[in-house]
Amino acid sequence: MDALEILFTASFWVAAIRIASPLIFATMGELICERAGVLNLGIEGIMTAGAFAGWFTVYAGGDLWTGVLVAALAGAMFGLLHATLTVPLGLSQHVVGIGVTLLATSLTYFTYRLALPEVTSPPKIEPFQPLPIPGLSKNPVVGEALFTQTPLTYLAFLTVAVVAWVLYRTPVGLAVRAAGENPSAVEAQGISVTGIRIGAVMVGSALMAIGGAFLTMSAFNSFFFEMINGRGWICIALVVFGSWRPGKALVGAILFAAFDAYQVRLQQMSGGIVPYQVFLMMPYALSILALILVARRATYPKALMIPYQKGER
Amino acid sequence: MRLEPKPAPSLALTLLFPIAAIVATLLITSLLVLAAGASPLSVFYLVAKGAAGSQFALLETLTRATPLIFTGLAVAVAFRAKLWNIGAEAQLYVGGIVTVVLGTGALPLPSVILIPVIMLAAMLAGGLLLLGPAVLKTRFGVDEVVTTLLLNFIVLLFVSMLLEGVLKDPMGLGWPQSQKVIAEAQLPRIIQGKRLHYGFVIAIVSAIVVWVIMKKTVLGYEMRAVGHNPEGARFVGIPVNRVLMKTALLSGGLAALAGFSEVSGLKGNLTLDLSPGYGYSGIVVAMLAMLNPLGVIASAIFVAGIFVGADAMSRTAKVPSYIADVMVATSLLTMVVAILLTRFKVRWR
């Protein structure tokens, strides 16, 4: 098959949308945090914890949606820890974020070893199955790519719509955006900036954890160490690339995933002339490139990473 | 709740806070030990015994502390200037690459010349690796946290590529590993027959040199000024961007020395598991030391002791050795809270 022909096959786009799904969840999660003024570098660890929590719930006998819920709760708890340290206490969001990532990752590995001391290969679960949408899934390429996915992918797209609607069409969303732009204006309205920010970080972290759970419960069927593999950091780049807008970030995530799916296929076609590591580097290199391209015109939320204390200007 | 600044604490109080943070960490992690069905006191005793209970244990802890001193210094230097270098892991591997490229026979020099040459080359390579993100930060405003993190993944894949390609040991039975460095490129052992090597001495000397740079030189003053208040520093005529470049070179260079010392002093060759996350643990080491270069020595030995002790403990008690990683991560968070409490009074209205 020709390298360009791949782009017109349904299987390629089905894979791209599947690869995009966890990124969409986590990118929306990070976007909510940053829109409220908090950079959440706990993302990588929170995704790890979510991947484990969801998978382990199902392995222990829970059903799949209970697994998603447990993952979200685990994420929200790490979000609460992050927010407690960074919002009322105003500690460095860089240091706390890295700390939360280290803690969530190590707690996950500890729990895994404690719960499954003897296993050499991780046990498998019955993951979410594809659920073709009648009618729509019959459309060539586009229909197949979008509508033969698992329920969690549909939830990812729904999440983007809900996040966009809440951020731009509801009073809560206005308060979240204002907390990231001009916190004293929020306080002037009698709304607590601290409360808004803590809430945003908890909700955002829950979404990151669901993104992690997608990997163990929909894309694959088991939990591996280091399976997040930098996806969290890539999502931080995607938020910047999407200029903090849900729709643009969604497009960025899909473009990124399409590129990732494409490099895998190119790798298979290259016949080993180019070392496979070069292809594996591409997603990370692409993320850095994307950051450089948009950096000049990036409009960060003005209060991002600036702690807020009541009564200060 | 409000935070009010309070006067600088006394030295005794400053030393008390890391201890308080460690006690808090032990209390929190003892919950996990209980969850594992073991007694916290006996587990912590086993960790302490495994870390310092014998000459063997103590030497092992110092051996493990060596790379952590380098990465801890790298992070301390960078964070002091608020250059968020989370890429010490990548810089460490670059130091390892340079060591095997120059140390496996390419330069037929005697030890006294070869080792300094390799060290300088490794430092330069590590420094240049961090210079990239630093330039992207100052020129384009790209956040260095994300770029240095992403570079960790890129560099590890690059190492994997080298170890399966040009640097592959032909006698390695197919394993992805490099050739061993020649005898002239090896750091000698401090005690014959033990693993502790002269990398530890170089690490201590580096800590002292970095302390002198930070406290006694113009560059150190400028780095602290840039970290404290970049606008203010620019206003009084400090070339902020140039200071950040120098910081990047120094920080990346120190992290690369960790890779040099591990290859040249301990492992002999480069493999994909040269570092079990020393770059990331370096962040904890630096924070526990409150970014003080001499404090880094103590906190690196402490963190190394937790890892070495937990390994020994998990062989007898049924508690996974990942408890060490949890303790180290928890101590980072309790420490930043403790530092906050030295500077501010929390007032609940």
Side-chain angles (χ1 to χ4, degrees):
Chain A
M1 197 190 299
D2 191 78
L4 272 175
E5 269 173 53
I6 294 173
L7 292 174
F8 301 101
T9 61
S11 68
F12 167 75
W13 286 103
V14 170
I17 297 293
R18 185 180 61 236
I19 294 169
S21 302
L23 304 176
I24 294 171
F25 278 118
T27 304
M28 289 304 127
E30 184 67 36
L31 186 143
I32 294 172
C33 298
E34 294 193 15
R35 264 309 177 85
V38 182
L39 172 73
N40 190 346
L41 293 178
I43 183 167
E44 182 85 4
I46 291 169
M47 288 180 80
T48 309
F52 174 76
W55 169 82
F56 190 69
T57 305
V58 178
Y59 172 71
D63 72 60
L64 286 163
W65 289 107
T66 313
V68 173
L69 191 69
V70 170
L73 284 175
M77 284 301 110
F78 283 110
L80 179 62
L81 173 67
H82 186 290
T84 307
L85 296 174
T86 53
V87 179
L89 293 180
L91 289 166
S92 158
Q93 295 177 8
H94 284 120
V95 177
V96 170
I98 296 295
V100 169
T101 280
L102 292 177
L103 181 66
T105 308
S106 55
L107 262 181
T108 301
Y109 293 175
F110 177 83
T111 314
Y112 178 91
R113 274 277 165 260
L114 196 61
L116 306 156
E118 306 297 342
V119 299
T120 43
S121 70
K124 294 180 168 54
I125 60 164
E126 193 60 45
F128 280 104
Q129 298 300 320
L131 180 76
I133 306 287
L136 294 170
S137 59
K138 294 286 180 281
N139 290 321
V141 186
V142 177
E144 232 177 294
L146 287 174
F147 299 110
T148 60
Q149 302 283 350
T150 68
L152 268 190
T153 295
Y154 303 137
L155 184 65
F157 281 88
L158 187 66
T159 302
V160 179
V162 171
V163 169
W165 181 75
V166 170
L167 273 182
Y168 293 102
R169 294 276 182 274
T170 67
V172 177
L174 180 64
V176 168
R177 285 185 291 135
E181 293 286 340
N182 187 356
S184 40
V186 177
E187 208 74 46
Q189 295 289 317
I191 304 169
S192 157
V193 173
T194 308
I196 288 284
R197 285 186 170 174
I198 292 178
V201 173
M202 287 179 73
V203 171
S205 302
L207 287 178
M208 295 168 190
I210 297 177
F214 183 94
L215 292 173
T216 50
M217 300 174 68
S218 187
F220 308 103
N221 55 3
S222 134
F223 176 83
F224 304 97
F225 283 23
E226 288 170 28
M227 75 184 301
I228 303 300
N229 207 9
R231 284 184 178 83
W233 313 130
I234 286 168
C235 289
I236 290 182
L238 282 174
V239 172
V240 181
F241 184 73
S243 36
W244 290 268
R245 290 171 173 277
K248 278 190 176 177
L250 171 70
V251 173
I254 293 175
L255 277 180
F256 179 87
F259 182 84
D260 203 14
Y262 194 61
Q263 63 89 3
V264 173
R265 281 157 178 77
L266 276 186
Q267 192 180 324
Q268 285 156 358
M269 288 169 61
S270 79
I273 302 162
V274 182
Y276 68 92
Q277 291 94 342
V278 172
F279 293 101
L280 293 179
M281 281 179 205
M282 282 182 183
Y284 308 109
L286 186 73
S287 301
I288 295 179
L289 191 69
L291 283 176
I292 298 170
L293 287 178
V294 300
R296 279 232 187 264
R297 52 188 176 81
T299 45
Y300 284 78
K302 284 193 190 61
L304 184 64
M305 289 192 272
I306 300 171
Y308 177 77
Q309 274 226 324
K310 210 168 167 176
E312 275 181 11
R313 310 212 105 236
Chain B
M1 196 191 91
R2 299 194 51 77
L3 298 173
E4 291 175 358
K6 63 183 184 190
S10 68
L11 181 67
L13 207 58
T14 310
L15 289 175
L16 199 65
F17 278 97
I19 295 169
I22 289 162
V23 171
T25 302
L26 291 178
L27 287 176
I28 294 167
T29 45
S30 57
L31 295 176
L32 294 177
V33 176
L34 287 172
S39 136
L41 278 182
S42 68
V43 163
F44 292 144
Y45 169 74
L46 284 174
V47 171
K49 196 175 142 206
S54 63
Q55 191 209 27
F56 172 81
L58 209 55
L59 288 176
E60 197 52 37
T61 295
L62 296 182
T63 309
R64 192 79 69 95
T66 303
L68 289 175
I69 295 175
F70 287 120
T71 55
L73 288 173
V75 173
V77 163
F79 279 24
R80 187 58 91 191
K82 292 240 164 70
L83 178 72
W84 303 105
N85 174 17
I86 321 289
E89 191 77 4
Q91 294 136 25
L92 179 154
Y93 273 101
V94 166
I97 295 172
V98 170
T99 306
V100 294
V101 166
L102 298 181
T104 45
L107 298 177
L109 297 167
S111 233
V112 281
I113 304 171
L114 183 58
I115 284 180
V117 166
I118 293 177
M119 280 174 69
L120 283 176
M123 286 188 80
L124 186 66
L128 288 177
L129 185 67
L130 184 54
L131 197 63
V135 169
L136 289 180
K137 174 196 171 88
T138 54
R139 273 295 180 85
F140 301 98
V142 179
D143 187 33
E144 73 278 23
V145 172
V146 186
T147 46
T148 52
L149 276 166
L150 290 168
L151 275 173
N152 288 341
F153 294 87
I154 294 178
V155 168
L156 205 62
L157 285 163
F158 183 64
V159 172
S160 159
M161 190 175 101
L162 293 178
L163 293 183
E164 290 177 16
V166 288
L167 288 184
K168 185 176 178 144
D169 179 8
M171 312 298 279
L173 303 170
W175 291 101
Q177 62 182 38
S178 78
Q179 276 180 290
K180 296 256 179 202
V181 294
I182 55 175
E184 287 80 5
Q186 284 173 17
L187 288 170
R189 302 285 155 107
I190 293 177
I191 306 168
Q192 211 55 46
K194 301 281 194 282
R195 276 155 51 91
L196 187 65
H197 53 88
Y198 271 91
F200 181 70
V201 177
I202 299 174
I204 303 282
V205 173
S206 303
I208 296 167
V209 170
V210 171
W211 183 82
V212 171
I213 292 176
M214 295 306 289
K215 296 279 171 182
K216 307 283 177 197
T217 67
V218 176
L219 175 63
Y221 167 77
E222 289 177 339
M223 282 161 68
R224 279 180 287 137
V226 168
H228 189 67
N229 179 354
E231 279 76 38
R234 195 168 278 130
F235 185 73
V236 298
I238 293 174
V240 173
N241 287 357
R242 212 183 310 157
V243 171
L244 283 173
M245 300 299 123
K246 288 179 188 164
T247 309
L249 286 173
L250 181 59
S251 171
L254 285 164
L257 283 183
F260 153 76
S261 134
E262 284 298 278
V263 170
S264 177
L266 193 63
K267 304 280 175 67
N269 62 0
L270 180 62
T271 54
L272 273 173
D273 58 0
L274 182 69
S275 160
Y278 290 136
Y280 301 101
S281 308
I283 298 167
V284 184
V285 168
M287 292 309 294
L288 283 180
M290 293 189 264
L291 308 186
N292 181 314
L294 296 181
V296 162
I297 300 173
S299 66
I301 293 173
F302 173 74
V303 169
I306 292 180
F307 281 120
V308 172
D311 278 347
M313 176 277 298
S314 69
R315 281 194 285 270
T316 46
K318 286 241 176 302
V319 178
S321 63
Y322 283 106
I323 192 81
D325 301 83
V326 180
M327 288 173 80
V328 168
T330 308
S331 65
L332 172 63
L333 295 176
T334 53
M335 190 61 200
V336 284
V337 174
I339 295 174
L340 179 85
L341 295 179
T342 60
R343 305 219 177 111
F344 296 94
K345 207 162 27 187
V346 178
R347 177 157 294 184
W348 308 87
R349 286 203 279 175

